[in-house]
Amino acid sequence: MIFELFAVIFAGVAGAGLMLLVTNLSRGRLPRWVVPLGAGASMMIAAIAMEYGWYARTRAALPEDMVVADRVAASNWYRPWTYAVPMTERFVAVDKGTLRTNSQEGLFLADLYFFGRWRPVQAVQVAVDCTTGRRADPAGGDGGDPVWRDVGPDDPIVSSVCAEA
């Protein structure tokens, strides 16, 4: 996060310097207020570019055994540009390297990793039944039987696990 702050500050200084050069080259035809306007615009562009590039950078840094199962793109009122192009805020990755089989045919235990912008990564184990298209999400940690949900074979997590199995 600190590197992104430095990048935005650097973009502001570069934008102000560029606009200062343009105003000097125009020999006074441009008003001086374009210098802070250029700094602010370049800072905003840099921040937006880093927000949109987060998903691609994080996905590229994943190990080869990790497969993105689902991603959530959203629009926010405080980011009006996301209504034109929604931004990926979080995604789920399946670790196919740690996929474990069960004695029952078509039953797998998979490690899921939930990534979110400005959030810590969360790891969860789920059981997936590829024959019936069911998924057992983690219970409350009380050691009880898992609760199976019929999500169907089109569920992103079920389809990702079953494709890799």
Side-chain angles (χ1 to χ4, degrees):
M1 185 170 151
I2 192 75
F3 294 118
E4 290 187 5
L5 177 65
F6 288 143
V8 168
I9 291 170
F10 180 76
V13 170
L18 181 67
M19 291 311 291
L20 188 61
L21 179 69
V22 169
T23 56
N24 284 340
L25 290 176
S26 71
R27 301 186 198 280
R29 285 185 234 136
L30 286 176
R32 299 291 286 173
W33 56 263
V34 297
V35 174
L37 180 73
S42 61
M43 291 173 79
M44 188 73 144
I45 290 168
I48 291 171
M50 283 186 280
E51 286 286 314
Y52 274 100
W54 166 80
Y55 172 66
R57 286 191 313 271
T58 306
R59 188 185 64 207
L62 292 176
E64 289 182 19
D65 290 343
M66 300 279 272
V67 175
V68 175
D70 195 17
R71 68 184 190 103
V72 177
S75 301
N76 301 23
W77 65 269
Y78 55 88
R79 293 179 184 141
W81 53 88
T82 59
Y83 287 105
V85 180
M87 186 182 78
T88 301
E89 291 185 339
R90 59 187 190 267
F91 67 94
V92 177
V94 176
D95 189 358
K96 65 180 181 179
T98 61
L99 200 61
R100 293 173 295 283
T101 60
N102 197 321
S103 59
Q104 180 181 343
E105 181 69 28
L107 189 63
F108 298 95
L109 188 64
D111 292 332
L112 300 181
Y113 293 91
F114 294 87
F115 294 85
R117 182 78 168 140
W118 305 117
R119 295 183 198 150
V121 178
Q122 294 178 341
V124 174
Q125 285 186 340
V126 296
V128 175
D129 188 355
C130 293
T131 57
T132 61
R134 297 184 310 158
R135 182 178 77 211
D137 295 332
D142 57 1
D145 291 334
V147 178
W148 287 93
R149 297 183 334 157
D150 289 322
V151 292
D154 294 333
D155 180 65
I157 294 171
V158 172
S159 63
S160 296
V161 170
C162 295
E164 297 302 323

